[in-house]
Amino acid sequence: MAKGKTQKPGQTAEVRAKSREKLRFLAEMEPKKMITYPLVVFIVALLLLAVHFPPPLGIDLKGGVVVTGEGISANPDQLEKELSGKLGLEVHVESFTSVSGSKGIRVYAPAGTDPQKIIDILKEKYPNADFTHSEVQPTFGEMAKKQGMRAIIFAFIAMAVVVFLFFRNPVSSLAIIFSALSDMTIAVAVMGIFRIQLTTATIAALLMLIGYTVDSNILLTTKLTKRKEDTIEEAYLSAVSTGFTMSTTTLGALLMLWIISTSPVLDNIAAVLIFGLLADFMNTWIFNAGVLRWYLSRGGLNYEQEAQEDTPELESPSANPLPHRFDWLTLCKGAHIRNRHFGRCRAHRAD
């Protein structure tokens, strides 16, 4: 039996080095430019959001009637014009393909529309099709919309609190929070441009987007503020190579879902997450990285790293001719550096 080829450690290191070199242009970019470009995109997204806000609401958020016809193969745009003309009101028609492979259509009409009228018109043209209908009252739709918006707000606040408690640094924490806000703003703005409906499914996608974007930002911030590499640039390259791998694998999975899926709900979820993750590439690895590089280059080190850099290494017991004795002056100096905010060290013992 033939054995599979395995990469040697040297080959793996070479592959990583090549991938880092491809991303080195980001590490060499000026921090001011890294901050400016994403801010311009965020402002443009706000302007687009002002024009297209709110995105078109789905039936489950505004109420309405849904008529489903199975066994129908038709042009949705043409059927939509025909139904709107006969009913005297605006309807929306979309086609779908079931798991078994049979085709069908869904007709969305405003609340208060008689679904039987739509079924009668469709039966004249497609007598062998099977029809079902459902209805969502506007009051229930309004309740679902308020609960969805409340869930997004509370999730965002909870994320911000956790980030502040974890880093305890206003600059790095605010950079993460702004990146998550910008990702959601850009995703909602693109939803308005492409007329992607805001439904309970897309609200769930926006909630997932908060988790996805914060993960990459925490990875970057932790790598830079608690770095083990010699320079900020090397720490950034280490983080961005890992982060790009994480994000591209997620984007690949979502792209395949969008291509293969025949469900409009799954298509909308995948589209929102794809737009948000593409925005996260910019906001995390350019904007947030620019803020952190600017901050750290001006001496904004976190407490743990500062203590680690300033604390002298104690001699190991094996190097001490008297293992039972301690160098109290060295120990005192280290204790003073680690506890500089809690008072001066007053230990003066020599043995």
Side-chain angles (χ1 to χ4, degrees):
M1 182 179 291
K3 294 183 179 180
K5 294 182 179 180
T6 58
Q7 284 188 336
K8 296 180 181 180
Q11 294 176 342
T12 305
E14 185 178 354
V15 172
R16 292 179 179 175
K18 289 182 179 179
S19 63
R20 288 191 182 188
E21 286 300 323
K22 294 179 180 179
L23 299 172
R24 186 169 290 277
F25 73 96
L26 291 174
E28 295 174 353
M29 189 182 297
E30 295 181 7
K32 289 184 178 180
K33 292 183 179 179
M34 298 176 74
I35 297 173
T36 303
Y37 296 154
L39 283 177
V40 172
V41 176
F42 176 70
I43 294 173
V44 172
L46 286 178
L47 295 176
L48 292 174
L49 196 61
V51 175
H52 298 285
F53 189 84
L57 299 178
I59 293 293
D60 51 354
L61 295 185
K62 68 178 181 180
V65 174
V66 182
V67 175
T68 303
E70 296 184 2
I72 298 176
S73 179
N75 186 338
D77 296 332
Q78 183 178 355
L79 185 59
E80 182 177 309
K81 292 180 181 179
E82 184 179 346
L83 287 174
S84 298
K86 292 182 178 181
L87 293 171
L89 49 86
E90 185 178 355
V91 299
H92 174 66
V93 179
E94 63 181 20
S95 60
F96 68 90
T97 303
S98 64
V99 178
S100 60
S102 62
K103 296 184 177 181
I105 55 100
R106 290 190 183 92
V107 180
Y108 299 92
T113 305
D114 187 2
Q116 193 59 44
K117 290 183 179 180
I118 301 176
I119 294 176
D120 292 339
I121 295 173
L122 292 174
K123 275 187 175 181
E124 293 179 0
K125 194 170 185 178
Y126 308 101
N128 298 324
D130 297 326
F131 296 97
T132 58
H133 71 274
S134 61
E135 186 173 358
V136 178
Q137 295 296 329
T139 53
F140 290 104
E142 185 68 21
M143 186 184 303
K145 182 175 67 174
K146 289 182 179 179
Q147 290 176 350
M149 295 297 103
R150 195 176 304 161
I152 292 177
I153 294 172
F154 286 165
F156 196 87
I157 293 174
M159 176 273 296
V161 171
V162 172
V163 168
F164 267 108
L165 291 177
F166 183 78
F167 290 104
R168 299 183 181 182
N169 185 301
V171 175
S172 57
S173 300
L174 288 175
I176 294 175
I177 294 170
F178 176 81
S179 297
L181 177 63
S182 180
D183 292 342
M184 294 182 63
T185 302
I186 293 173
V188 176
V190 176
M191 285 175 61
I193 294 174
F194 290 98
R195 308 307 294 171
I196 298 176
Q197 292 185 346
L198 183 64
T199 62
T200 53
T202 51
I203 288 176
L206 292 173
L207 289 172
M208 288 188 285
L209 186 61
I210 295 176
Y212 280 129
T213 56
V214 170
D215 283 346
S216 58
N217 279 279
I218 289 178
L219 170 65
L220 172 66
T221 305
T222 304
K223 265 286 188 180
L224 292 188
T225 58
K226 302 180 181 181
R227 66 184 184 277
K228 297 180 181 179
E229 291 79 3
D230 295 334
T231 62
I232 298 175
E233 287 72 18
E234 289 300 322
Y236 171 72
L237 287 174
S238 176
V240 75
S241 60
T242 303
F244 263 54
T245 304
M246 293 167 49
S247 298
T248 49
T249 53
T250 305
L251 277 174
L254 291 172
L255 187 60
M256 291 304 298
L257 174 64
W258 183 77
I259 294 174
I260 296 175
S261 172
T262 58
S263 170
V265 175
L266 294 179
D267 289 344
N268 290 340
I269 291 176
V272 171
L273 290 176
I274 288 172
F275 294 142
L277 288 178
L278 289 175
D280 185 57
F281 273 107
M282 175 190 64
N283 288 316
T284 298
W285 306 112
I286 298 180
F287 173 80
N288 195 2
V291 172
L292 290 173
R293 287 178 57 193
W294 170 81
Y295 176 62
L296 294 174
S297 64
R298 282 158 176 74
L301 297 174
N302 66 340
Y303 175 73
E304 291 83 0
Q305 184 175 341
E306 189 177 11
Q308 182 179 359
E309 291 179 351
D310 294 342
T311 303
E313 295 183 358
L314 299 179
E315 294 182 357
S316 61
S318 59
N320 195 336
L322 295 176
H324 64 282
R325 297 170 65 88
F326 293 93
D327 188 349
W328 285 100
L329 292 178
T330 304
L331 185 62
C332 173
K333 186 178 179 181
H336 166 58
I337 293 172
R338 293 183 181 277
N339 301 278
R340 60 182 60 186
H341 301 296
F342 301 96
R344 302 181 62 84
C345 178
R346 301 183 180 279
H348 299 291
R349 293 185 57 181
D351 57 4

